[in-house]
Amino acid sequence: MSTGHPVRPTLPVLRAERIKFTTLPSLWLTPLLALLLSSGITTAVGAWLGGADPNIVDDPGVGVFYGLNFGHVALACFGILLIGQEFNTRMIDVSLTAVPRCARLYGAKLTLGALVGLVVGAAGTAGAFAGYAATVPGAWHGPAFTRAAVAGVLYPPLLVVFCLGLTTLFGNLTAAMGLVTPTVFLVSPALGGLPGARVLAQFLPDRAGQYALHYVDDPHVVYGHWTGLLIMALWAAAASYAGLRALRRTK
C-alpha cells in the first residue's frame, strides 16, 4: 500500500467532522455565543464604566478581556460537546467503526476544535480591543499589547483542546459538564482569591492562560506572562494525550 500521501486519508474525516459541526446547532451555537459574550460584554463594560474603574484602567488587559470571563465557559462547553455528545448517544462506536484508526478520528476532532477556537479567539480579541478602546484608548498601547493580543487569540483554542481531551478521558458528557465547567467558572476563580490556595490555583490551566492576557505583573504570581500561556499549552497537550489513550482503550 502506498504511503506517499499520508495526509489524504485524514481529510475526509476532517470534512465529516466539519459537516457535523455545521449541521448540529449545539456545536456551532456555543462558539458563536462565546464570541458574542467575549466582545459584547467587554464593549458594554467599557461603555458603562469608561475610565472610572481603576481595576480596568491600571491594567487594560483586565478590561479588554473582561468578557472572556463569561465567553470561556461557552468555549469549554463547545470542547466538551464536540465529542461528549457521541459518548452519550454511543455514536462514538459508529464513528470508530467508520474510522477504525481512533487517532485519526480524534485528531480530526482536535483539529476542528482548535481551528474554531482560533477563529473565535481572533475575532473575539479584535472585537474586544475595538469595543473597549473606544472608551479607554490606552488598551491599544504599551509594550504588553502585542503579548496580550497573541494570548487572547491562543487562549480559546487551547481551552477547547483541553476540554475535548478531558471529555474523551472521562468518556461521558455529563461527567465532563459537571466537572469541567464549574471548575472553569467557579472553583478556579474562587481558589485564586484564597491566600492559602492561591499558589496552587495559579497553575490551573485557565488561571495560567488568563495571566498572559494581563498587561501588569502580579507580584503573587511566581511565573511570567508568556510562561502562563505555556503552562496552559502543557495542560492542553497532557489532556489530549490522556484522551487518546482512553479512546484507544474503548475499542
Side-chain angles (χ1 to χ4, degrees):
M1 183 172 62
S2 173
T3 58
H5 302 283
V7 74
R8 287 184 179 176
T10 304
L11 295 180
V13 185
L14 188 56
R15 282 196 294 268
E17 293 302 318
R18 177 187 58 81
I19 292 171
K20 292 178 188 177
F21 169 72
T22 55
T23 55
L24 292 174
S26 59
L27 290 184
W28 60 263
L29 281 175
T30 42
L32 178 61
L33 178 61
L35 175 60
L36 294 175
L37 289 173
S38 297
S39 56
I41 291 180
T42 289
T43 302
V45 168
W48 180 32
L49 296 178
D53 189 341
N55 291 323
I56 62 175
V57 174
D58 295 342
D59 188 342
V62 174
V64 169
F65 295 104
Y66 189 87
L68 190 60
N69 293 313
F70 303 90
H72 73 172
V73 180
L75 284 169
C77 291
F78 171 62
I80 292 170
L81 289 170
L82 266 177
I83 196 167
Q85 292 185 125
E86 294 194 37
F87 278 116
N88 271 32
T89 60
R90 298 315 306 170
M91 281 298 295
I92 191 67
D93 297 330
V94 178
S95 297
L96 287 172
T97 301
V99 187
R101 295 183 62 178
C102 59
R104 186 169 292 166
L105 174 68
Y106 187 56
K109 289 183 178 294
L110 287 173
T111 301
L112 176 67
L115 288 175
V116 172
L118 197 63
V119 171
V120 172
T125 297
F129 268 107
Y132 187 75
T135 53
V136 188
W140 288 108
H141 304 292
F145 161 69
T146 301
R147 187 242 310 134
V150 170
V153 173
L154 295 181
Y155 178 88
L158 289 175
L159 180 62
V160 170
V161 168
F162 172 72
C163 292
L164 194 156
L166 279 188
T167 305
T168 311
L169 176 62
F170 295 148
N172 186 283
L173 172 68
T174 306
M177 283 288 189
L179 292 174
V180 178
T181 51
T183 298
V184 170
F185 191 52
L186 296 173
V187 178
S188 180
L191 289 177
L194 297 175
R198 185 177 295 159
V199 174
L200 292 177
Q202 64 188 258
F203 287 95
L204 293 175
D206 59 308
R207 307 306 294 174
Q210 288 182 43
Y211 185 57
L213 307 174
H214 292 195
Y215 280 34
V216 179
D217 294 338
D218 185 342
H220 298 104
V221 178
V222 300
Y223 49 76
H225 296 281
W226 283 116
T227 304
L229 196 63
L230 175 61
I231 291 171
M232 186 178 187
L234 291 174
W235 274 102
S240 299
Y241 177 72
L244 178 59
R245 293 288 300 270
L247 189 62
R248 282 173 171 164
R249 289 195 298 269
T250 65
K251 292 190 65 177

